[in-house]
Amino acid sequence: MVVKRVVPIIKVSDIRVALDFYCATLGFVTDFKYVASSDGPAYAGVSRDGNQVHLSTFSGDGVLGTSGRKYSAIWQSSPTSWLTSKTADTPHDARRRAG
C-alpha cells in the first residue's frame, strides 16, 4: 500500500473560533464547511501549502479510541487521521492478501 495523503481530524468545541484561528492566525484557507444547524455539529476542512486538516465538533471525531469509517482506503488512529491509498483496501486487507 502506498500512502498518498494523511488528513488529521481535530476535535474542536466551536467551529467558528477554530476556523478563525486556523485561517487568520495560522494562514490556512477554508476548503469546505458543513454546519448541520445553528446549534448542531459542524465539520470543516482547511489547507495550507498542500496540506489539509479537518476540524470537527461531531462527537467521536478526534477522540482517542474511536473506530474508523471506511472512505476509499482509510486507517484511523489517535489523533484521528485518515490515510488514503490508491486502492479501496484497508491496510489490513493489503496485509491479508500479502499473506
Side-chain angles (χ1 to χ4, degrees):
M1 175 180 80
V2 176
V3 176
K4 296 173 64 178
R5 186 173 88 148
V6 176
V7 180
I9 301 173
I10 299 173
K11 176 75 169 184
V12 298
S13 58
D14 187 316
I15 201 74
R16 289 174 297 224
V17 172
L19 285 170
D20 183 55
F21 174 75
Y22 274 85
C23 296
T25 305
L26 300 179
F28 281 74
V29 177
T30 302
D31 297 325
F32 66 88
K33 182 169 76 170
Y34 167 78
V35 180
S37 66
S38 61
D39 62 342
Y43 195 88
V46 295
S47 63
R48 179 177 173 181
D49 303 326
N51 299 292
Q52 190 174 53
V53 174
H54 289 184
L55 308 169
S56 176
T57 64
F58 281 84
S59 63
D61 281 353
V63 177
L64 180 64
T66 56
S67 62
R69 293 171 281 181
K70 192 165 185 173
Y71 174 79
S72 181
I74 58 172
W75 175 70
Q76 186 178 16
S77 65
S78 181
T80 307
S81 305
W82 302 119
L83 300 182
T84 60
S85 72
K86 287 178 145 181
T87 67
D89 293 337
T90 64
H92 173 74
D93 294 332
R95 286 192 303 273
R96 187 178 61 226
R97 269 197 328 279

